[in-house]
Amino acid sequence: PELPVLSALRLFFLNPPELDVKFGASLEVVESFQLVKSAISNSIHSVVHDILVLPNVLCVNWADPTNHKTCSFVDTPPVAVVRVVIHRAVELQPACNILMAPSTSCRVAVGLSPGMHTSSITDTMAPAWEESFEFVVYDERQRISLAVQDSGFGGRSILLGRNEVELTELVAADADGLWIPMLDKNGQRACQVSASATLLVPILGTHMLEQYLSEATTLHGSTPGDLLSNAFSAGVNIISAGANMQWVRRQAPTREQTRRDMSAISEEQEDSKQDSHPSNAVALLLFEIFGGFLPASLGATSGLEIQVRIGRRFCSRWASPADAIDSTVVDERSVKAIQRLSAHGLEADAIADALGATVQDVQHVIASAHWNFEVPKKLVLLLRPEDVTGKPPVFIAALQKGKPVAAGRIPLDRLLKSGSARFRDVVLLGAQGIDDVVSVELEVKTFGLIERDPPA
């Protein structure tokens, strides 16, 4: 074959693309119905964003002829966190009647993030916000989008101007900020916004969380050693996270513990609605949920969401029905051998010795044979010092129609005690009023966030 020979491709958009949807032939009539056209266009945008915009990636693999999944969709882990500061705006013009005082705010977003808003400032054409926001970054070539809005009659938002700037360009600006022109719908300059940014690099390790917890405990009259010595309640085993990581068989949570967990999650969901945007993050938790089992009594897997939460910080992802076990962990022949030996009552360590595999891989294959759902996308939590004050647990919840139907917890100390900052376990979520439980196999990686030095 002629060079170059491609054996694999990774396809994705760095930033959400602008798609121009046109209808031809017999569908031209749709052009006359703006509401229908907008609905179709929005649906197309949503699908493209969900599978082809970072962190979502389409992988095409021609190299392995035995691989029946030539095309697969994956999501990539974050590479950084960007802290964006919106300083002020100038040259604003009111969008409403001159008798109505302006009330302007600025919306900022990165990639597929839902976007965050500054507070609204009234009675001035030069608002000074000086507010910061933090976003997860999946590629340093991503862009930061800004939009300045005014509040019209009835609280309706009116767009004054918008624009995008390269993340690297904003990071390279000095502390006073970069002046970015905002363009109206006709492409004319409507105003200018001053913004700056700092890049935070994630470093695998628990030292940042331990440092802030130690400082907080010292302030309350205790020593850092006291904080970390009371790590576990009775009956809970430490799990190391290295190559010899061991899993433990857990007891189902009691009904009283389930009631407390469900109550805590419901209260925190209400608090989250009043929470401000995150800033001053010191750590990042990355959750990868490999799969689990949802009893039929708690609903269908097609409507299942899995949520992770620490206090007011939370992240949710949709589950999907589990596929048949693939051969990404061990080859297909070994998967069948593990299942056969497990059915005959052999323990995971004995199977691992017999097949020359790791205990972790064997346990993974045994557990995944009983899955009926999986969560394809990773979950990310940015943590501030106040989020971990008092050592709150990490809650894991199963949601149906936005409401928790089962809940469990991981003590924060268990994450801190995982030697390599990687914690993996099967967590059991209790359902209120019944004995059925949801099992979730997950891995949590803890990263400290270190500010990158600005370019010279």
Side-chain angles (χ1 to χ4, degrees), residues 9-65:
L9 286 176
R10 289 167 56 89
L11 304 176
F12 58 89
F13 291 99
L14 286 170
N15 302 284
E18 290 292 335
L19 302 177
D20 186 14
V21 181
K22 295 185 180 296
F23 299 91
S26 59
L27 293 178
E28 286 184 352
V29 66
V30 177
E31 297 284 350
S32 304
F33 298 92
Q34 189 58 40
L35 187 61
V36 176
K37 180 181 178 181
S38 296
I40 295 174
S41 179
N42 290 340
S43 296
I44 294 174
H45 275 79
S46 177
V47 171
V48 171
H49 291 176
D50 197 45
I51 63 175
L52 283 177
V53 179
L54 284 180
N56 306 304
V57 176
L58 168 61
C59 296
V60 183
N61 180 15
W62 299 291
D64 184 3

Side-chain angles (χ1 to χ4, degrees), residues 100 228 257 297 330 342 349 353 362:
M100 185 175 179
L228 296 177
Q257 181 181 339
S297 59
V330 291
S342 176
D349 53 354
D353 289 341
V362 171

Side-chain angles (χ1 to χ4, degrees), residues 46-382:
S46 177
V47 171
V48 171
H49 291 176
D50 197 45
I51 63 175
L52 283 177
V53 179
L54 284 180
N56 306 304
V57 176
L58 168 61
C59 296
V60 183
N61 180 15
W62 299 291
D64 184 3
T66 65
N67 183 8
H68 66 284
K69 292 185 177 180
T70 303
C71 294
S72 59
F73 296 95
V74 300
D75 69 327
T76 60
V79 299
V81 172
V82 63
R83 179 177 296 147
V84 181
V85 181
I86 306 299
H87 298 290
R88 54 196 177 277
V90 296
E91 303 175 9
L92 280 169
Q93 298 296 323
C96 304
N97 190 296
I98 59 173
L99 298 179
M100 185 175 179
S103 179
T104 52
S105 63
C106 184
R107 178 185 182 274
V108 56
V110 177
L112 291 179
S113 67
M116 301 179 189
H117 291 79
T118 66
S119 55
S120 295
I121 297 181
T122 60
D123 300 326
T124 178
M125 292 292 99
W129 293 289
E130 297 295 341
E131 297 182 25
S132 62
F133 308 85
E134 289 170 342
F135 300 92
V136 174
V137 175
Y138 296 93
D139 192 293
E140 293 185 23
R141 295 169 293 175
Q142 288 186 284
R143 294 195 296 266
I144 299 172
S145 63
L146 304 171
V148 178
Q149 300 170 324
D150 192 3
S151 294
F153 293 104
R156 181 173 59 92
S157 294
I158 300 175
L159 180 65
L160 300 181
R162 66 196 309 171
N163 208 342
E164 295 183 342
V165 61
E166 297 288 340
L167 185 151
T168 51
E169 182 180 357
L170 199 59
V171 170
D174 56 33
D176 293 332
L178 177 71
W179 285 103
I180 306 165
M182 298 289 106
L183 307 180
D184 62 20
K185 60 182 180 181
N186 298 316
Q188 302 298 314
R189 192 165 85 173
C191 61
Q192 292 192 86
V193 171
S194 174
S196 59
T198 303
L199 210 58
L200 307 175
V201 180
I203 305 296
L204 187 65
T206 61
H207 57 283
M208 292 293 291
L209 277 179
E210 291 175 333
Q211 174 185 342
Y212 280 98
L213 282 171
S214 299
E215 290 174 355
T217 306
T218 302
L219 290 175
H220 286 84
S222 302
T223 65
D226 294 334
L227 176 72
L228 296 177
S229 62
N230 302 319
F232 301 99
S233 58
V236 178
N237 298 317
I238 297 178
I239 298 180
S240 63
N244 298 319
M245 178 180 69
Q246 298 292 320
W247 296 355
V248 282
R249 185 178 299 277
R250 306 217 159 274
Q251 296 294 325
T254 64
R255 289 195 176 190
E256 176 59 24
Q257 181 181 339
T258 296
R259 186 193 64 78
R260 292 197 305 266
D261 289 349
M262 297 281 280
S263 177
I265 290 173
S266 298
E267 292 175 2
E268 289 171 353
Q269 281 183 323
E270 292 299 319
D271 291 341
S272 299
K273 298 176 183 178
Q274 307 171 13
D275 192 24
S276 61
H277 53 77
S279 59
N280 194 32
V282 297
L284 181 151
L285 297 185
L286 180 65
F287 296 79
E288 185 169 3
I289 298 177
F290 302 102
F293 179 78
L294 176 74
S297 59
L298 297 179
T301 57
S302 57
L304 176 66
E305 280 184 275
I306 298 296
Q307 182 182 92
V308 296
R309 173 184 290 269
I310 297 184
R312 295 182 175 183
R313 303 286 146 238
F314 68 94
C315 182
S316 301
R317 290 288 184 265
W318 288 102
S320 61
D323 291 333
I325 302 174
D326 60 37
S327 56
T328 56
V329 177
V330 291
D331 62 78
E332 186 175 352
R333 180 179 298 178
S334 296
V335 168
K336 293 180 179 179
I338 291 170
Q339 294 174 334
R340 184 171 59 254
L341 294 173
S342 176
H344 282 80
L346 269 72
E347 296 294 334
D349 53 354
I351 297 175
D353 289 341
L355 299 180
T358 66
V359 176
Q360 177 181 340
D361 287 346
V362 171
Q363 290 171 323
H364 173 79
V365 172
I366 294 173
S368 59
H370 303 285
W371 293 348
N372 64 358
F373 75 84
E374 56 191 10
V375 182
K377 297 186 178 182
K378 300 176 179 68
L379 300 90
V380 179
L381 287 181
L382 292 178

